[in-house]
């Protein structure tokens, strides 16, 4: 992009100028590190979840994300899509049609509301030029796996023709039910994959959240290899704690991301960790570099 080339040229000019003036080497080193962070390999489409950086206004997050080389922002509703467009960023996972995380497709009493919401939102997503819209199973509330699956199929099949017409993918997120989302039903990849099989549509996929699935089932790389055809999106975070994905936690992200890339995945990988260090953008830059295999 011309703006990116201009930014790089500006950095080179700064470095050359400070060297000529005999200024401290600190500035050239800083400039080099800043530029290095945008020199990504291109094997991964990087994104970041908006809610994890709620202390920043969306404009600022977009500016900082672009500096890092991030292409999209996750979980931004239609009221803010114009901000993403202003900065030339994609909305990699749209939201705004769901009721909440606990009242979902596995319970028929919510179907009427969900069908209305998604029937209205799917065309808006398509009109904006976006491709993915998140959805949730909801909590079990005593329902066994089979009942939950049947209820989800019954509800989702009523809106899938709309998604197919508009080329929008409905994406159900896998969440852990041990720590963060007690009683959530779509808490194992096998259950989500079975739902995909029963619906039989390329317009219904899974959001594989690496953090959540490490907690509930582990075996992350093997499950990614086994179920990758049902996965259209990934989220990251450190385990335990949902913080930085550095060497303070138990997952080794370079190996995980290499396994994802090896499946031929061309979608987005979104950072969804909550920064512990004061400079959250520094943490974000480091996370992108860790995942840029």
């Amino acid at each position: 992009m011309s703006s990116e080339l201009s930014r790089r040229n500006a950095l080179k000019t700064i470095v050359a100028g400070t060297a000529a003036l005999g200024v401290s080497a600190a500035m050239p080193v800083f400039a080099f590190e800043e530029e290095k962070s945008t020199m990504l390999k291109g094997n991964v489409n990087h994104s970041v979840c908006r809610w994890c950086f709620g202390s920043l206004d969306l404009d600022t997050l977009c500016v900082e994300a672009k500096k890092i080389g991030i292409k999209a922002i996750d979980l931004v509703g239609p009221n803010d899509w114009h901000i993403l467009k202003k900065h030339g960023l994609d909305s990699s996972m749209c939201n705004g049609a769901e009721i909440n995380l606990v009242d979902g497709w596995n319970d028929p009493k919510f179907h009427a509301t969900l069908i209305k919401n998604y029937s209205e939102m799917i065309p808006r997503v398509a009109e904006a030029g976006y491709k993915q819209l998140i959805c949730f199973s909801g909590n079990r509330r005593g329902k066994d796996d089979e009942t939950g699956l049947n209820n989800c199929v019954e509800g989702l099949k009523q809106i899938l023709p709309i998604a197919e017409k508009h080329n929008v993918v409905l994406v159900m997120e896998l969440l852990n039910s041990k720590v963060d989302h007690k009683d959530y039903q779509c808490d194992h990849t096998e259950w989500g994959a079975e739902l995909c099989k029963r619906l039989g549509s390329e317009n219904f996929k899974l959001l594989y959240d690496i953090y959540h699935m490490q907690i509930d089932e582990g075996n992350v790389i093997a499950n990614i290899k086994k179920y990758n055809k049902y996965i259209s999106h990934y989220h990251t975070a450190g385990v335990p704690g949902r913080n930085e994905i550095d060497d303070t936690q138990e997952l080794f992200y370079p190996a995980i991301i290499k396994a994802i890339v090896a499946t031929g995945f061309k979608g987005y990988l979104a950072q969804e960790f909550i920064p512990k260090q004061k400079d959250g953008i520094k943490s974000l830059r480091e996370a992108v570099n860790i995942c840029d295999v």
Side-chain angles (χ1 to χ4, degrees):
M1 299 180 198
S2 60
S3 60
E4 182 62 14
L5 288 172
S6 297
R7 193 185 71 82
R8 291 187 180 182
N9 289 335
L11 284 172
K12 291 175 182 176
T13 301
I14 290 169
V15 172
T18 51
L21 291 171
V23 179
S24 166
M27 179 61 197
V29 170
F30 171 79
F32 173 75
E33 289 301 320
E34 179 76 8
E35 183 172 348
K36 182 181 176 182
S37 68
T38 67
M39 296 172 61
L40 303 177
K41 296 175 182 176
N43 298 321
V44 177
N45 292 314
H46 297 281
S47 179
V48 59
C49 289
R50 195 275 172 276
W51 75 268
C52 298
F53 293 85
S55 61
L56 300 176
D57 63 78
L58 185 54
D59 271 301
T60 301
L61 179 59
C62 288
V63 169
E64 296 300 326
K66 285 192 73 172
K67 289 179 185 176
I68 294 169
I70 289 171
K71 298 180 179 180
I73 310 291
D74 253 38
L75 304 178
V76 174
N79 290 341
D80 288 326
W81 288 345
H82 69 284
I83 299 177
L84 301 189
K85 290 182 181 298
K86 179 175 72 173
H87 293 281
L89 290 170
D90 193 8
S91 178
S92 41
M93 182 60 66
C94 299
N95 68 345
E98 70 280 4
I99 298 172
N100 50 51
L101 301 184
V102 302
D103 302 329
W105 288 101
N106 69 346
D107 195 325
K109 72 181 180 183
F110 301 121
H111 283 179
T113 299
L114 288 167
I115 290 168
K116 178 180 184 295
N117 290 357
Y118 280 85
S119 296
E120 293 172 355
M121 187 64 74
I122 290 168
R124 293 182 70 184
V125 171
E127 185 179 358
Y130 303 136
K131 295 295 185 184
Q132 299 200 110
L133 179 60
I134 201 167
C135 66
F136 301 96
S137 68
N139 283 12
R140 289 176 179 272
R141 296 187 173 101
K143 293 182 286 295
D144 60 31
D145 281 346
E146 188 64 21
T147 300
L149 283 167
N150 289 335
N151 290 344
C152 283
V153 169
E154 179 185 340
L156 286 162
K157 71 180 182 181
Q158 297 184 61
I159 61 165
L160 268 173
I162 303 172
E164 291 166 347
K165 176 184 175 181
H166 291 279
N167 196 27
V168 170
V169 180
L170 303 176
V171 188
M172 183 171 285
E173 184 164 13
L174 294 153
L175 302 173
N176 83 74
S177 59
K178 290 181 180 178
V179 177
D180 299 286
H181 303 285
K182 301 286 187 178
D183 202 44
Y184 186 75
Q185 187 143 40
C186 187
D187 61 351
H188 280 74
T189 314
E190 185 178 13
W191 190 93
E194 179 61 27
L195 179 56
C196 290
K197 292 175 188 176
R198 294 189 186 190
L199 288 168
S201 172
E202 288 300 305
N203 292 79
F204 182 84
K205 298 287 185 179
L206 301 176
L207 193 171
Y208 186 95
D209 189 301
I210 298 165
Y211 161 81
H212 287 297
M213 290 302 93
Q214 170 67 1
I215 290 172
D216 261 22
E217 64 185 16
N219 212 25
V220 168
I221 290 177
N223 282 329
I224 286 170
K225 290 179 178 178
K226 183 176 181 180
Y227 297 112
N228 70 86
K229 70 178 179 178
Y230 303 115
I231 299 167
S232 69
H233 201 76
Y234 289 90
H235 279 172
T236 76
V239 181
R242 197 174 194 148
N243 303 122
E244 279 82 352
I245 62 170
D246 54 23
D247 58 6
T248 64
Q249 51 94 49
E250 67 193 33
L251 291 165
F252 184 61
Y253 267 94
I256 295 170
I257 310 307
K258 284 179 182 177
I260 292 171
V261 170
T263 67
F265 181 72
K266 300 300 182 185
Y268 280 101
L269 173 83
Q271 302 293 335
E272 199 186 21
F273 66 90
I274 302 168
K276 286 180 71 175
Q277 55 177 327
K278 188 175 180 180
D279 187 350
I281 296 300
K282 181 175 182 291
S283 290
L284 180 58
R285 184 181 300 110
E286 291 169 351
V288 168
N289 286 333
I290 288 169
C291 292
D292 194 53
V293 299

